[in-house]
Amino acid sequence: MSPPISRRAITFVEVGPRDGLQNEKTLIGTADKLELVRRSIAAGAKRIEVTSFVNPKRVPQMADADEVCAGLPDVEGVSYIGLVLNARGAERAIATGRLHELGAVCVSTDGFAIANQGQTSDESVVAAKAILAMAKAAGVKGQATIGAAFGCPFEGEVSQDRVVAMAMSLAQANPIEIALADTIGVADPAHVSRLVRRVVEAIGPIPVRVHFHNTRGTGIANVWAAIEAGATVVDAALGGLGGCPFAPGAAGNVSSEDVVYMLHRAGVETAMDLPALIEANHWLAEVMGRKLPGMVAQAPAFPKPVQE
Ligand code: ZN
């Protein structure tokens, strides 16, 4: 039997520098991206998705991937993750010599996979497994994400059997973990609970990571449902930045501060420092020139800090 949730700990992954910023129209300078990485580390993040190696014409915000990697500070115990979609991206990521993990992505439906990566869903699984093999050969950890695992902007509902089968296929390539991503923010907690449970059963002992967008307000509830169902790694982005081009609307990733607040109040360890995250939120809001979607950083501290 698994321990009660109140005595569990999860691993927190900060995805703000990549997924948070990726679709921002204003180009953020490399120095600010590196400052975001530094502040995430100062707030306790041990795994940070720092950039992606994609076509800069399609994703201009990530055009400085090499410069970002060159500027990453060496910090004991901190792993940097680079997202890659194909072999060329994996070669570029490995060549930086600065990344501890490659993140491969495949997509649950043909409609989304063709729009996003110009390949079918099956082809995206083959490509992800090839990236995992490249990472292994280069002595870098490899993990894989199943995109649109809870719903597709083109095809609508996604079959849970399909997602479980993809996870089992990816598991053959021995990733350090497999993530289920609600890329367009349509999941609900009951769906999350069922699918996470099934994938945990199918691929254990490989850990399951979850990635939620708060497009329809269900993001934080989905995080809770996923942890109860056995997910042990959670993605979040500082301030809740990170819209998806296929999901118009303001909301982005679940916010790091909101996730950490919820989990700490509920007795789940994250090793993150909430006041440092809130301070980082206020810094990032200034860089972006607007209030960020995350809610905890806009509210008074609770419980009230004790005055010395
Ligand atoms: Zn995302």
Side-chain angles (χ1 to χ4, degrees):
M1 235 181 86
S2 48
I5 193 163
S6 60
R7 273 192 270 125
R8 278 192 212 150
I10 57 104
T11 300
F12 177 89
V13 180
E14 174 61 50
V15 301
R18 200 283 303 175
D19 204 18
L21 297 181
Q22 177 170 283
N23 295 303
E24 288 294 328
K25 287 198 176 63
T26 314
L27 287 183
I28 306 302
T30 307
D32 280 331
K33 291 175 182 170
L34 289 169
E35 180 63 16
L36 176 53
V37 170
R38 273 191 292 272
R39 284 177 182 261
S40 302
I41 295 168
K46 294 278 184 279
R47 291 175 66 196
I48 305 169
E49 199 175 85
V50 290
T51 189
S52 63
F53 295 83
V54 289
N55 185 343
K57 285 198 190 91
R58 289 194 64 190
V59 191
Q61 190 69 261
M62 297 290 122
D64 62 351
D66 292 298
E67 289 84 349
V68 166
C69 287
L72 290 170
D74 262 319
V75 183
E76 178 82 36
V78 171
S79 284
Y80 297 125
I81 306 164
L83 202 78
V84 297
L85 299 182
N86 50 38
R88 185 173 144 58
E91 277 165 15
R92 283 179 59 203
I94 290 165
T96 67
R98 302 292 299 145
L99 297 166
H100 305 86
E101 288 180 39
L102 296 196
V105 182
C106 51
V107 182
S108 68
T109 64
D110 288 337
F112 201 163
I114 288 165
N116 201 41
Q117 291 167 235
Q119 55 193 182
T120 66
S121 172
D122 279 338
E123 284 165 354
S124 77
V125 174
V126 172
K129 288 164 88 170
I131 289 166
L132 293 171
M134 287 175 73
K136 196 173 191 181
V140 176
K141 291 175 185 166
Q143 35 108 333
T145 295
I146 301 174
F150 300 92
C152 169
F154 302 99
E155 299 185 16
E157 304 286 0
V158 169
S159 136
Q160 295 194 19
D161 290 344
R162 170 66 189 154
V163 176
V164 172
M166 289 172 76
M168 289 173 75
S169 177
L170 290 167
Q172 291 165 358
N174 258 319
I176 61 161
E177 74 198 3
I178 294 175
L180 303 178
D182 184 18
T183 314
I184 56 166
V186 292
D188 69 84
H191 185 174
V192 168
S193 183
R194 283 192 298 272
L195 185 57
V196 168
R197 228 173 273 280
R198 285 191 62 187
V199 173
V200 166
E201 264 171 37
I203 67 165
I206 298 173
V208 173
R209 190 176 91 238
V210 285
H211 179 103
F212 293 115
H213 282 256
N214 198 36
T215 319
R216 292 169 178 81
T218 55
I220 197 107
N222 291 336
V223 169
W224 184 254
I227 295 173
E228 272 199 312
T232 52
V233 190
V234 176
D235 282 357
L238 187 69
L241 282 182
C244 170
F246 299 106
N253 288 273
V254 286
S255 115
S256 303
E257 320 84 80
D258 294 6
V259 166
V260 167
Y261 172 82
M262 174 183 75
L263 295 181
H264 287 186
R265 291 290 297 163
V268 178
E269 249 324 302
T270 68
M272 297 297 294
D273 175 349
L274 183 60
L277 279 175
I278 290 171
E279 216 185 293
N281 171 302
H282 295 152
W283 166 82
L284 185 57
E286 243 169 65
V287 173
M288 304 307 295
R290 64 170 201 268
K291 203 171 81 175
L292 308 178
M295 298 179 80
V296 165
Q298 298 169 44
F302 184 85
K304 241 181 167 164
V306 182
Q307 298 290 330
E308 291 292 321

